Amino acid sequence: MGRAIKLQVRKELDGKQQFNLIKLKGSLITKGYTEIIHISDKDEEFHINSFETEAKNEVKEFILDFIVKENLSNTISVLV
């Protein structure tokens, strides 16, 4: 899984955060970075969203830029 991206996503989201999370996932699929995003429970507070991609560094930069732009730093984080 060397090309895997994992996102830690807070479970408790308000409407705007949910919309932005859907927008992020839709953008990842639309841009062709992945076809499917897997969701699993981490604990009572977080989900782990993971997917494989051929453009790992490019995708990480896209996600980090999106997090900053949409003020989601308390909602989504990229796991190494």
Side-chain angles (χ1 to χ4, degrees):
M1 272 185 105
R3 296 180 303 233
I5 302 279
K6 291 185 181 180
L7 305 174
Q8 178 174 273
V9 180
R10 189 169 299 283
K11 287 183 179 181
E12 298 286 328
L13 302 176
D14 64 28
K16 184 174 181 178
Q17 291 168 324
Q18 287 176 354
F19 174 79
N20 285 328
L21 177 60
I22 292 167
K23 190 167 127 180
L24 172 61
K25 290 179 181 183
S27 295
L28 292 169
I29 293 168
T30 301
K31 290 181 178 291
Y33 292 135
T34 189
E35 292 181 4
I36 188 166
I37 299 172
H38 305 279
I39 302 170
S40 60
D41 279 333
K42 178 181 180 191
D43 53 31
E44 290 185 22
E45 197 171 345
F46 294 100
H47 289 293
I48 299 296
N49 289 220
S50 60
F51 60 94
E52 297 245 352
T53 184
E54 295 294 323
K56 186 174 181 176
N57 292 330
E58 181 180 338
V59 173
K60 277 179 143 177
E61 287 299 316
F62 174 80
I63 292 169
L64 293 172
D65 288 345
F66 188 93
I67 289 170
V68 170
K69 181 178 130 195
E70 300 296 336
N71 195 25
L72 294 170
S73 60
N74 291 328
T75 306
I76 303 169
S77 57
V78 179
L79 301 177
V80 180

